[in-house]
Structures are given as C-alpha cells and as structure tokens.
Amino acid sequence: MSAAAESLVLRDARVGDRVTDILITNGRIVKMADDIRSHSDDVSLDGRWVIPGLWDEHVHFSQWALKTRRLDVSTATSARHAAQLVHDALAAAGPLAVDDDGRPLTFVANGFRDGTWPDAPNLADLDAAGGGAPIVLISSDLHSVWLNTVALELFGHAGHPTGLIRETAAFAIENLVNAVPDSVLDPMVNEAATDAAARGIVGIVDFEMAWNRESWERRMTGGFDAVRVEFGIYSEHIDRAIAEGLHTGQRLSELLTVGRHKVITDGSLGTRTAFCFDEYPGMAGQPDSRGLLVVPPDELAAHLRRSSSAGISPAVHAIGDAANTHVLDTFEALGITRGRIEHAQLVTDADIARFAALGVEASVQPEHAMDDRDIADTFWPGRTAHAFVLRSFVDAGVRLVLGSDAPVAPLDPWFAIASAVGRTRDGREPWHVEQALSAAEALRASTRTDVAVGEIADLAVVELDPFTSPPEALRAPTVAGTLVGGRWTHRTL
Ligand SMILES: [Zn+2]
C-alpha cells in the first residue's frame, strides 16, 4: 500500500436535511462540505440518503448461513403438516443421501412453531415422514428440537417418548447437526455476509455457540472482509478467553473485536420455558409451570464474577420477567456497570427503571414481536403490555440496541426497524402500537456511528428516506452501497 492517503468523495449525499459532499480519507470522514475538490475516486450519489452503516446486534451466524440451505417448516400449522413438509422434501430429494461410510445423512429442517399447533410434535408423524434417514427439526426459537426414532438413536436419546427435546439437550443436538466441516461452512458464511452487506450491514454481534475467535480469525485470514464481527464468549470458553488475555471491546484486527460473555439463563416464550412470575395458562401444578431457570442466580453470579473481573462484560439471555429480575439483581450485587440483557421480552415496570439506573443495555429483536404476537397473547394473557416493549425502554432512558437473533428471524436490520416503527407485518392490525419507536430511534438503535466529521466511514447509501418512509417501505429498501471503514463492501453505483 502506498504511503499517500487513500481518499474517496461521496458527492451529493443527503445527510439529514442537507445535501453535501463527503470526503473520506484513510477510512474516516474528514470533511463534509459542498466545495470538496475533485478526487480520482469520486462517486455521485445524486441526493441519495447516507446513513450510518447498520449493525445486527444479535446473530448466530453459522446457523444463519446453514439455515438458508435447509427446508423451512415455519409455515406448518400442525405437527402433522410439518411432518408432511419433511416427507415431501425427502421424496423430492430422491434416494437417501449417505456419507462416505454409507451412513444416511441427517435431514435437518428449521423453523417449526408448535406453540399454537392443535397437535403436539410426536414420533409417529415424524417416523412416517421418511424412510431410514435421521430427521431433526429445529424450532424457530432454537430452544427445542424434534427428532424421529432414527435420529433419537443417533443422538443418544433412544427410547424418548415423543422426540421433542428442549433447552440444553436441544442445543447439544443442534451443535452436532451444525458441525459441518469448515471447508463447507466457510463459503456459506462468506455468501451470507455478502448478502448482509447488501442490506447495508457493516457489523454483526455473533453469539454462535462455539469458540468464535478461532472461526473468525480463520475466515478473516482466508479473505473474509464483508462485515465487522464482534464475537460472544460462552461460559465453557471463559477460562480460555481469560488465558488469552481477551477483554470486551478489544480489537484483534481491523474487523474483529472481542464481545461479551454470553449466558443463557432461561428458555423461550414459544417453548413455554421463559421464566416468569406467573404460571403459563393450563400448566398450573405441572413442573416448570413458570418456565425454566437454566442458570440460577448464584450460578450466574459465579460465572459473571470471574469474567467481569477479567474485563469481560456480560450479555445475558433473559426472556421472562422473573429471569430479567434475577439478572438485574445479579448485575446490581456484583456492581456490573456495563451489563447487557439479550431479549428482555417480558419486563416489569420496576425493572425497566432498574435497567436505566444500573446502565444495563436492552438488546431486543422487534421482529420477534411480529412472529410471536399470537403466542404472547396466548401464553402471557393480560401481560402483553409489558411484552416486547420498546417505547418504555427509550422513555426510561435505557440504551436500546436492535437485532434479529438470526436464524430465529432473517438477518436483516430493516425488518427490525420496520417492526419497531410499525409494530405490524403483512397488513395486520399493529400490536401494542404504544410501544412503537420513531424511525430515527430505530435507526439509532441499529447503528454505532454517526455521519459526521471524525467518524469511521461505516456508511450505507439508501434509495428511500429512512426517516419518513412508511414501515412497509422500510422493510425492504434498496441499498445502493455499503462502506466499511471507507471501503465498498456492496456497491451498485
Ligand atoms: Zn440468540
């Protein structure tokens, strides 16, 4: 690379209420004016909008890349219907696929939502779906898997009565079916990241359930450069992270940053395992009728004491209101000042105030509210005024960040922004519209920089007015260009 500064001029860019030229040198915005002299690398934007590049603050990137290649059963309206979709896909695929040793490959489908099905996932339906192949269906929220008899034997659960396995055991099976060779996975990851850049994304927070440092350093050494990556660290890898001297916010390379310590304390709404103060309807007297506290407070405290003393900040999954209370209690007891709660789907008013008082970030996924509004009305009756809140957080002064939790929802921040602003999808009546954000607030929660002199040139060029367009337009804008540190990662201009 030459010693001379590398410059780029974006001409006639609309930023807020003005049209200006933007001079970018060595990856930063160094001047915004309408009299910037010509450079060799001039790009005319013809008044298109320039906004800060978008971040998806919660993804499982390998799973997202894999999901794009798998059968999607999210449209199934019953267990029988889901099994039928699997049957049809297997029949269409022809002869049973086998590995090098002649063993049948596991058939994996994603996205089932049994929360509102009239029948329950069961062995008989799934066994009838396909001859011989192990079949694994992963639920839309990832908190349960549904296996046929062959798969139960393969994954160590022979004799299981229904084939429906939840939480920690489900995650273990997902990790096994997702363990494809790097040589197969990495090209899929590259492709998914290129697609992300084309949506205006400049960064992702990856909570893949793996030792993510290694995966991302390998990919970046191999040329991956489409987005910035901040990676999470699960409890089983915390000792290793500390031994390697990692701390939150540490830059390992231009695009790779150390993220947070991820702990999953409770389950999910769809699986009725989110840990709540109230019982789930119809579950009175049953075990786990209020959900499942996978990591109780004393255990959480032990985990977080260790990581926070090493400078690794927490990102704790808590969905139910009681789980959120426990996590806030733990942050408070340990004096954690830069905590973050992932999902925060059901939160009491008192706890919203505590998020603000303790400086805890709320990392939420507005598109989940659209996916789960009916399930929330069913499983959290009378409490949905406190479910998937956005406005309440902002008004209380809580720092809010938006994500997709891909593969749970598609990796596209515009879906999150549109849902946050409109609280609706597919023309339905808005759901709890009193919790809507303005487009400016939703964008603020989806970005980490500003379009201003001195800022890193992480930018997106969009074909619509992102501040006044209706929610359905915000769901699918044309992104004309994306820059990461002043380098085009997507460009149609
Ligand atoms: Zn997640």
Side-chain angles (χ1 to χ4, degrees), residues 58-60 142 207 209 234 262 264 317 343 365 405-406 408:
H58 186 135
V59 307
H60 303 264
L142 312 179
F207 286 120
M209 293 176 179
Y234 283 80
K262 174 87 184 282
I264 299 178
H317 163 124
H343 310 306
Q365 299 79 34
D405 202 5
V408 180

Side-chain angles (χ1 to χ4, degrees), residues 48-107:
R48 290 180 178 86
W49 284 85
V50 172
I51 59 170
L54 301 169
W55 276 76
D56 190 325
E57 295 278 350
H58 186 135
V59 307
H60 303 264
F61 206 80
S62 305
Q63 293 186 64
W64 167 244
L66 285 164
K67 185 187 178 178
T68 58
R69 316 284 176 115
R70 289 176 175 160
L71 175 67
D72 174 12
V73 292
S74 62
T75 55
T77 53
S78 66
R80 177 151 297 184
H81 184 196
Q84 185 64 43
L85 293 173
V86 172
H87 171 271
D88 295 348
L90 278 167
L96 213 56
V98 295
D99 67 12
D100 294 343
D101 303 321
R103 286 179 301 232
L105 291 175
T106 301
F107 181 87

Side-chain angles (χ1 to χ4, degrees), residues 74 111-116 139-143 267-272 274 280 319 343 345-346 365-381 384 387-388 404-405 408-409 419 423-426 428 431-432:
S74 62
F112 76 87
R113 301 175 174 279
D114 57 324
T116 52
S139 69
S140 67
D141 65 17
L142 312 179
H143 284 256
S268 72
L269 166 61
T271 311
R272 275 156 288 179
Y280 286 90
I319 290 184
H343 310 306
Q345 287 180 4
L346 190 65
Q365 299 79 34
E367 184 74 344
H368 290 1
M370 301 301 97
D371 288 332
D372 290 345
R373 56 188 282 178
D374 298 321
I375 292 179
D377 287 338
T378 306
F379 292 161
W380 289 340
T384 52
F388 299 99
S404 65
D405 202 5
V408 180
S419 290
R423 300 286 291 189
T424 185
R425 191 177 65 198
D426 304 326
R428 287 186 72 180
W431 189 73
H432 288 288

